[in-house]
Amino acid sequence: MARTKRPAVMLRVVNLEELRNASKCVQTGVQARRKSPDEKARNARTAHVDVMHITPRQGAAWRGKLEEAERWVRRRGRFPKQSTSDKAEKALYTWLRHNLQRSRGKCPERWKLLNETFGEGWERVFSPGFGEGQGITRAIAAQWDRTLAHAQGWVVEHGGYPKDNKLSGKVERYLYRWLENQLPGRSRFHAHRWVKLNEAFGTGWEKDFSPTLRLCCIDA
């Protein structure tokens, strides 16, 4: 009985160089999908500040509320109070309180307009003792001033702002993160500190410190 011939199996000799190239392609693809720690940190910071962006409609509504508050204060010669049965007055109080430091609605441009409308230091008249009792002791304030002086000296010496990357030393990274935490919307932001930062580095310094930073603005 004749045997059925099996089809010949064609074996392809794979070149060693081809294997190496294929391995490199796989490794490159994996690396491309991975993000470096620096890139992840950058993305996280950008995502955080993008939340602060407001629309033109929101900006117009904010300006309208400021004008309403200004008329109210001029007419009565005082700021609205929380302990009132007047719903309109209480609403204005809540709005002004929301625009104080450490609040979500706070940004440099808006704070400037508030100061122009009501005068520098209006927040202490609106809310006596404001800024005190928030964990800011004299010792903490003095330490903050020393760190600001240190950061200012570093910028002058190096001709630029500190960065946070692989080439940065411990001192540079510390100063970078310290300055970053002073930005509007961050945990350490305070209105009176922001004034000092602008005096030390100049108005708009935050754009040079972090070119990709997007702060909220009046007519964004």
Side-chain angles (χ1 to χ4, degrees), residues 22-42:
S23 177
K24 287 180 181 179
C25 289
V26 173
Q27 291 176 0
T28 302
V30 172
Q31 291 173 356
R33 288 192 295 271
R34 292 175 179 171
K35 294 183 179 179
S36 66
D38 290 341
E39 185 181 357
K40 289 180 180 179
R42 268 197 314 274

Side-chain angles (χ1 to χ4, degrees), residues 25-111:
C25 289
V26 173
Q27 291 176 0
T28 302
V30 172
Q31 291 173 356
R33 288 192 295 271
R34 292 175 179 171
K35 294 183 179 179
S36 66
D38 290 341
E39 185 181 357
K40 289 180 180 179
R42 268 197 314 274
N43 291 343
R45 287 195 292 269
T46 303
H48 178 83
V49 298
D50 281 350
V51 176
M52 300 179 68
H53 181 70
I54 61 175
T55 65
R57 179 179 295 180
Q58 291 172 326
W62 189 91
R63 290 194 306 275
K65 202 69 178 179
L66 175 61
E67 292 172 359
E68 180 185 348
E70 182 183 16
R71 289 192 299 269
W72 196 99
V73 172
R74 283 184 177 181
R75 189 178 302 119
R76 293 166 176 77
R78 64 175 177 83
F79 286 102
K81 298 180 179 180
Q82 184 180 24
S83 57
T84 177
S85 57
D86 188 333
K87 292 183 179 180
E89 180 179 357
K90 184 170 289 187
L92 287 175
Y93 171 87
T94 302
W95 184 83
L96 286 170
R97 185 74 187 181
H98 179 74
N99 282 276
L100 291 177
Q101 60 189 8
R102 281 180 173 266
S103 69
R104 292 177 59 189
K106 190 73 172 53
C107 67
E109 295 88 347
R110 288 180 170 181
W111 186 252

Side-chain angles (χ1 to χ4, degrees), residues 30-203:
V30 172
Q31 291 173 356
R33 288 192 295 271
R34 292 175 179 171
K35 294 183 179 179
S36 66
D38 290 341
E39 185 181 357
K40 289 180 180 179
R42 268 197 314 274
N43 291 343
R45 287 195 292 269
T46 303
H48 178 83
V49 298
D50 281 350
V51 176
M52 300 179 68
H53 181 70
I54 61 175
T55 65
R57 179 179 295 180
Q58 291 172 326
W62 189 91
R63 290 194 306 275
K65 202 69 178 179
L66 175 61
E67 292 172 359
E68 180 185 348
E70 182 183 16
R71 289 192 299 269
W72 196 99
V73 172
R74 283 184 177 181
R75 189 178 302 119
R76 293 166 176 77
R78 64 175 177 83
F79 286 102
K81 298 180 179 180
Q82 184 180 24
S83 57
T84 177
S85 57
D86 188 333
K87 292 183 179 180
E89 180 179 357
K90 184 170 289 187
L92 287 175
Y93 171 87
T94 302
W95 184 83
L96 286 170
R97 185 74 187 181
H98 179 74
N99 282 276
L100 291 177
Q101 60 189 8
R102 281 180 173 266
S103 69
R104 292 177 59 189
K106 190 73 172 53
C107 67
E109 295 88 347
R110 288 180 170 181
W111 186 252
K112 181 180 178 181
L113 282 181
L114 285 162
N115 286 336
E116 290 175 353
T117 302
F118 301 118
E120 293 283 345
W122 69 273
E123 68 277 8
R124 290 183 175 84
V125 180
F126 167 70
S127 180
F130 181 77
E132 302 173 3
Q134 296 185 6
I136 305 178
T137 62
R138 289 184 179 180
I140 292 176
Q143 178 60 45
W144 190 92
D145 289 338
R146 287 194 292 270
T147 306
L148 174 60
H150 186 188
Q152 188 177 16
W154 195 98
V155 171
V156 172
E157 181 182 350
H158 294 82
Y161 291 98
K163 299 183 183 300
D164 184 11
N165 53 43
K166 294 179 180 179
L167 301 178
S168 303
K170 290 183 178 180
V171 174
E172 183 177 2
R173 286 185 177 181
Y174 170 79
L175 291 176
Y176 172 88
R177 290 168 184 170
W178 184 84
L179 286 170
E180 186 181 42
N181 284 332
Q182 312 304 317
L183 295 174
R186 299 304 175 98
S187 59
R188 302 297 176 85
F189 177 80
H190 284 273
H192 66 281
R193 287 177 172 178
W194 186 252
V195 172
K196 290 185 176 182
L197 286 161
N198 286 336
E199 290 175 350
F201 302 117
T203 303

